[in-house]
């Protein structure tokens, strides 16, 4: 009897690909902004494809999609390029690359319209500044706030006067007429930005000279832009100086404090859990203070953003804002600054930095004058701080904001130096200094024209 031999089929065991799993986990650990790289690639692909098909919604949703996609990518790249990352790489790339793309017509109108609706019509910049100012003021120690604001007035005034004198002298030495150097190169650097500085300055100049304000804007903007980028680079150098020579830096604290003083800056971490309801209270607080500043502007004629700072500081000094609301404002400040800084600059690069105007006025003489202005104002802040009980590095960084592009420049300069908690002082230097510059220089031009 024959025995049947049963053939057994070999069992195939599929083992998980450990290498692929680890590779996926590795890529998931790489973050672009606030999301893992693979997730960012998928999301950005959808947004880019929709933009190329010109189907992006022209509303705030489309605007946020554009600036977040650009800003997070450029900020991440800039933060990982050797050498460049130590000299304002994330801020410079976020501002400059979108402007270059627009200059070469690589951004279609649908994408620009989506960004425009958010940045210009919805004025996201002011919301960002309001959240940062209110959160940083309400989240810091009262004594440090009052002393810092009072002490910045002196270095701001001295720096502005010295910068005007040095810049005009350098302009004459390199071949410019002194009036052109003072009114069309030096003054725009110190005017406090484009919206609050260059535009009203151009209107004042136009009323006096009879030249169209559009022509004047094209002449004035390049000095502001170049000065802003040089100030960013200087803030990075100052930050490095503070690391190498700690005795010159307060590690983000403007006022020198004794060991027994309880001075918590706006970025000091606390152990309180994130409360989304408190953050909602922070949004309402920021909006209310901004609106109150605008109302006071109509009554006094003084710039609303400056009055918002004064009002927030006054409320903090009186300590009448509930502690929970103050904590909510501070948590909102951290959320906004941590997620929207580089996207905001990307949006501004798309819409507010006309690279064509900058290229048209470039010359080594022009650069020398602008650099002399920025260097003088920073050096003045550094030196004067020694007589004002302020930390030289922080005082110089805040002084650098006087030569920045308003709120945009303040964000770029402070984020480069990793000192966003100095925003209220920077806003005083920029807004108040810019308003004084615009008013005084317009009056002087009227007297001599």
């Amino acid at each position: 009897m024959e025995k049947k031999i049963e053939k057994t089929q070999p069992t195939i065991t599929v083992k998980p690909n450990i290498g692929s799993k680890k590779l996926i986990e590795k890529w998931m650990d790489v973050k672009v902004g606030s999301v893992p790289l693979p997730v960012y690639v998928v999301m950005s692909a959808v947004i880019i494809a929709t933009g190329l098909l010109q189907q992006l919604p022209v509303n705030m949703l489309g605007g946020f999609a554009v600036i977040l996609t650009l800003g997070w990518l450029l900020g991440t790249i800039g933060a990982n390029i050797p050498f460049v990352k130590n000299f304002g790489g994330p801020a410079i790339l976020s501002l400059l690359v979108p402007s270059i793309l627009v200059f070469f017509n690589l951004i279609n109108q649908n994408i620009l319209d989506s960004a425009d609706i958010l940045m210009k019509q919805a004025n996201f910049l002011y919301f960002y500044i309001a959240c940062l100012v209110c959160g940083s003021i309400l989240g810091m120690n009262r004594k440090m706030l009052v002393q810092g604001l009072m002490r910045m007035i002196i270095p701001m005034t001295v720096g502005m006067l010295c910068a005007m004198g040095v810049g005009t002298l350098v302009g004459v030495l390199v071949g410019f007429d002194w009036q052109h150097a003072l009114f069309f190169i030096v003054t725009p650097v110190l005017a406090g930005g484009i919206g609050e500085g260059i535009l009203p300055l151009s209107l004042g100049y136009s009323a006096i000279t009879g030249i169209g304000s559009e022509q004047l804007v094209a002449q004035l903007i390049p000095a502001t832009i170049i000065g802003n980028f040089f100030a960013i680079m200087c803030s990075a150098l100052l930050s490095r100086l503070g690391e190498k020579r700690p005795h010159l830096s307060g590690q983000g604290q403007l006022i020198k404090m004794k060991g027994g003083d309880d001075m918590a800056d706006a970025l000091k971490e606390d152990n309180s859990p994130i409360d989304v309801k408190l953050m909602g209270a922070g949004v309402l607080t920021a909006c209310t203070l901004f609106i109150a500043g605008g109302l006071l502007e109509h009554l006094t004629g003084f710039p609303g953003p400056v009055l918002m700072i004064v009002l927030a500081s006054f409320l903090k000094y009186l300590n009448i804002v509930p502690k929970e609301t103050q904590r909510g404002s501070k948590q909102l400040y951290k959320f906004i600054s941590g997620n929207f800084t580089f996207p905001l600059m990307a949006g501004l690069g798309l819409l507010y930095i006309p690279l064509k105007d900058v290229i048209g006025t470039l010359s080594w003489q022009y650069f020398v004058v602008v650099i002399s202005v920025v260097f003088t104002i920073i050096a003045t802040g550094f030196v004067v701080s020694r007589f004002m009980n302020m930390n030289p590095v922080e005082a110089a960084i805040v002084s650098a904001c006087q030569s920045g592009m308003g709120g945009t420049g303040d964000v770029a300069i402070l984020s480069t130096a990793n000192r966003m908690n100095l925003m209220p002082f920077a806003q005083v230097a920029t807004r108040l200094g810019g308003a004084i510059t615009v008013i005084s220089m317009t009056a002087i031009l009227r007297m001599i024209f």
Side-chain angles (χ1 to χ4, degrees):
M1 191 171 178
E2 297 181 355
K3 292 183 180 180
K4 292 183 179 180
I5 300 174
E6 295 182 0
K7 295 182 179 179
T8 57
Q9 297 294 330
T11 303
I12 300 175
T13 304
V14 179
K15 295 182 179 180
N17 192 332
I18 304 299
S20 299
K21 185 177 180 181
K22 287 185 177 181
L23 183 61
I24 293 174
E25 291 177 352
K26 180 181 178 181
W27 284 115
M28 289 295 288
D29 289 337
V30 178
K31 295 291 182 68
V32 177
S34 300
V35 297
L37 177 59
V39 177
Y40 172 83
V41 170
V42 173
M43 290 181 174
S44 61
V46 172
I47 295 166
I48 292 171
T50 308
L52 292 175
L53 294 172
Q54 303 204 35
Q55 295 299 313
L56 271 178
V58 183
N59 54 31
M60 291 181 65
L61 291 173
F64 275 122
V66 170
I67 68 169
L68 286 170
T69 302
L70 264 176
W72 281 356
L73 177 63
L74 295 173
T76 302
I77 293 173
N80 288 279
I81 299 176
F83 185 76
V84 174
K85 66 181 180 181
N86 297 322
F87 294 90
I92 291 176
L93 283 184
S94 297
L95 281 169
L96 192 57
V97 171
S99 181
I100 293 173
L101 294 175
V102 172
F103 179 75
F104 287 105
N105 295 317
L106 298 176
I107 303 291
N108 65 38
Q109 194 60 44
N110 177 231
I111 294 175
L112 291 176
D113 288 342
S114 297
D116 182 89
I117 202 80
L118 173 68
M119 299 298 300
K120 290 187 176 180
Q121 298 187 42
N123 216 334
F124 178 62
L125 172 63
Y126 277 177
F127 175 75
Y128 178 93
I129 293 296
C131 291
L132 258 65
V133 168
C134 295
S136 54
I137 288 177
L138 296 179
M140 69 169 59
N141 183 278
R142 286 189 298 162
K143 182 178 178 181
M144 188 186 91
L145 174 67
V146 174
Q147 290 185 2
L149 291 176
M150 293 301 294
R151 289 177 186 176
M152 275 312 301
I153 298 296
I154 295 177
M156 181 188 72
T157 305
V158 174
M160 184 172 62
L161 294 174
C162 291
M164 285 184 175
V166 171
T168 304
L169 177 61
V170 171
V172 172
L173 292 176
V174 297
F176 288 111
D177 177 76
W178 75 268
Q179 293 183 7
H180 180 79
L182 176 60
F183 292 105
F184 290 90
I185 303 179
V186 176
T187 300
V189 177
L190 305 173
I194 296 176
E196 293 79 10
I198 297 302
L199 296 182
L201 190 66
S202 66
L203 293 174
Y205 282 7
S206 178
I208 297 170
T209 63
I211 302 173
S213 59
E214 297 83 7
Q215 294 176 260
L216 291 169
V217 167
Q219 294 182 48
L220 298 172
I221 280 182
T224 304
I225 297 173
I226 295 170
N228 186 74
F229 280 121
F230 187 69
I232 292 172
M233 295 180 66
C234 287
S235 69
L237 290 170
L238 287 165
S239 180
R240 297 281 290 177
L241 177 64
E243 293 173 4
K244 293 184 176 181
R245 298 189 178 182
H247 66 281
L248 296 175
S249 173
Q251 305 302 316
Q253 191 167 279
L254 181 63
I255 307 299
K256 289 183 179 179
M257 296 298 165
K258 298 177 182 178
D261 287 329
D262 178 22
M263 292 294 161
D265 62 33
L267 287 181
K268 184 177 179 181
E269 297 292 337
D270 55 38
N271 296 321
S272 58
I274 297 295
D275 191 323
V276 292
K277 290 187 176 181
L278 289 184
M279 290 176 65
V283 173
L284 181 59
T285 303
C287 293
T288 303
L289 289 174
F290 181 81
I291 292 170
L295 178 62
L296 291 173
E297 180 178 2
H298 285 288
L299 299 176
T300 64
F302 208 66
V306 174
L307 294 173
M308 175 184 67
I309 297 168
V310 174
L311 181 58
S313 303
F314 184 66
L315 293 175
K316 177 64 180 180
Y317 179 75
L318 295 179
N319 204 26
I320 59 176
V321 179
K323 295 292 184 183
E324 287 190 347
T325 304
Q326 293 185 36
R327 193 166 77 247
S329 296
K330 185 176 180 180
Q331 291 182 357
L332 174 67
Y333 152 82
K334 292 180 179 180
F335 169 75
I336 294 293
S337 63
N339 289 284
F340 291 98
T341 297
F342 299 128
L344 174 75
M345 285 189 277
L348 292 163
L350 284 174
L351 302 170
Y352 287 89
I353 300 182
L355 200 62
K356 183 179 180 181
D357 293 335
V358 177
I359 294 174
T361 58
L362 292 182
S363 67
W364 70 266
Q365 295 95 334
Y366 197 96
F367 270 100
V368 168
V369 177
V370 173
I371 289 172
S372 69
V373 174
V374 178
F375 180 79
T376 301
I377 206 164
I378 291 174
T380 303
F382 190 92
V383 174
V384 173
S385 67
R386 294 176 176 268
F387 304 98
M388 302 295 298
N389 198 36
M390 295 189 293
N391 291 299
V393 168
E394 278 68 24
I397 290 172
V398 173
S399 296
C401 293
Q402 284 184 257
S403 54
M405 289 172 53
T408 311
D410 293 345
V411 172
I413 291 166
L414 297 182
S415 64
T416 298
N418 194 26
R419 284 171 171 80
M420 292 298 288
N421 58 303
L422 297 177
M423 178 59 77
F425 309 120
Q427 286 283 287
V428 169
T430 303
R431 304 292 186 182
L432 185 58
I436 293 172
T437 299
V438 171
I439 294 170
S440 60
M441 297 312 294
T442 304
I444 293 172
L445 182 63
R446 184 179 296 277
M447 291 171 59
I448 66 176
F449 192 80

